[in-house]
Amino acid sequence: MKLRTILISTLIVFSVVFIGLQIAQLELQAAGVRALLLLLLTALYCNKVKHKRLFFFLFFIAFALAETLNFFSLFIKVGTNNVDYSYYLVNSLYILSYIFLIIQVIKGMDVKDVIRKFPLHIIILVILDISSVLVVTNTTKSQLNNHEYSLEFVYNAVIMLLLTVALINYIHKDDKKSMNLLLASIFIVFSEVIQLTYFYVAEINILNVFCSLFLVLAFLFFYLQARLPYQLKPNELHKI
């Protein structure tokens, strides 16, 4: 219990410090604190959550690793011929972490039942996803080469897929756990879109602050939903 209290208290302090560093525009220090936050949150998940889910745990690991490598890439540049390999590695890890999360959500759903009950919802959401990904990614087209653009396109597509899966999961289950997951996914999307705007449209510090705030809120709701048990329906018991 004492270790849990220390971890939670440290996370709260680091979250406040992280937001404060972003407000003060101390990007290097903020990146370091952000990496520590994710590592501590992963440790808290391992310590606090009794019934751990494999892919949710892998999500935390991959995201924390991406944050750590992103921090070290600020000091060590890995690349040749004007190609920044750390950019591809870090963003690929972020994509992988979200894919793990999507898999975990789908594993807790009765996919056939979802498709049968919500075909129109799914079609509309897929159309909206495609439109959103095209619009958002095209804002970066003039500043990225073909490989970078392709990576950003995949990144944004995975983010929107996560939001869609979380929304369908909430519509299907309509419980507190799925609501927390949906809120976390919404905050992740907000954070990513604002970060993209900050990097490629306008470097206004308030955007970076809101990006950081939404990221902290997203992982707060991810942690809260992880602590809640799955409330499966009789036809979903095989999904445990």
Side-chain angles (χ1 to χ4, degrees):
M1 182 64 70
K2 187 176 181 180
L3 177 59
R4 295 176 183 178
T5 303
I6 292 173
L7 284 172
I8 292 172
S9 300
T10 305
L11 277 168
I12 293 172
V13 172
F14 274 29
S15 297
V16 174
V17 171
F18 174 52
I19 300 298
L21 290 172
Q22 292 286 30
I23 293 174
Q25 300 186 49
L26 299 173
E27 298 292 337
L28 183 62
Q29 293 85 342
V33 173
R34 175 167 158 162
L36 282 173
L37 266 173
L38 268 298
L39 290 171
L40 284 171
L41 188 59
T42 303
L44 182 63
Y45 174 77
C46 293
N47 181 266
K48 191 78 172 176
V49 178
K50 292 182 180 180
H51 304 290
K52 299 174 183 63
R53 306 289 168 170
L54 173 62
F55 286 101
F56 195 74
F57 176 67
L58 291 175
F59 159 68
F60 272 118
I61 293 295
F63 204 98
L65 181 59
E67 288 291 337
T68 304
L69 291 177
N70 186 47
F71 174 67
F72 283 115
S73 71
L74 299 175
F75 301 94
I76 305 172
K77 297 296 181 183
V78 181
T80 56
N81 299 324
N82 296 321
V83 178
D84 184 5
Y85 293 119
S86 60
Y87 166 82
Y88 293 98
L89 176 59
V90 170
N91 281 286
S92 295
L93 281 171
Y94 283 130
I95 292 171
L96 181 62
S97 70
Y98 291 132
I99 290 174
F100 284 143
L101 186 56
I102 291 169
I103 293 173
Q104 183 59 63
V105 178
I106 293 176
K107 275 173 61 65
M109 298 167 56
D110 185 331
V111 177
K112 291 182 179 179
D113 189 50
V114 168
I115 294 174
R116 179 178 61 82
K117 288 183 177 179
F118 311 110
L120 185 59
H121 297 72
I122 294 172
I123 292 172
I124 292 174
L125 287 171
V126 168
I127 293 173
L128 289 174
D129 284 351
I130 294 172
S131 302
S132 299
V133 170
L134 288 172
V135 170
V136 171
T137 311
N138 281 340
T139 61
T140 68
K141 195 169 186 178
S142 61
Q143 302 181 51
L144 302 175
N145 60 40
N146 290 335
H147 297 297
E148 292 170 340
Y149 177 83
S150 298
L151 185 62
E152 288 291 338
F153 186 90
V154 173
Y155 193 111
N156 294 330
V158 170
I159 291 295
M160 291 307 300
L161 179 59
L162 170 61
L163 180 60
T164 297
V165 170
L167 178 57
I168 293 296
N169 181 60
Y170 172 68
I171 294 173
H172 186 231
K173 294 182 179 296
D174 191 18
D175 57 13
K176 189 173 181 180
K177 186 177 181 71
S178 60
M179 170 58 82
N180 284 338
L181 180 61
L182 176 59
L183 288 173
S185 301
I186 290 172
F187 281 125
I188 279 288
V189 171
F190 283 170
S191 177
E192 294 290 352
V193 171
I194 291 173
Q195 180 174 258
L196 186 144
T197 304
Y198 175 77
F199 283 151
Y200 298 110
V201 180
E203 290 190 19
I204 302 172
N205 190 52
I206 191 65
L207 292 176
N208 207 20
V209 172
F210 275 109
C211 169
S212 302
L213 177 61
F214 288 146
L215 182 69
V216 170
L217 290 172
F219 275 87
L220 170 63
F221 281 105
F222 278 137
Y223 172 71
L224 291 175
Q225 74 84 29
R227 294 195 60 191
L228 295 172
Y230 281 92
Q231 299 178 356
L232 297 178
K233 298 174 183 178
N235 63 339
E236 294 177 318
L237 292 176
H238 65 283
K239 295 292 182 178
I240 298 178

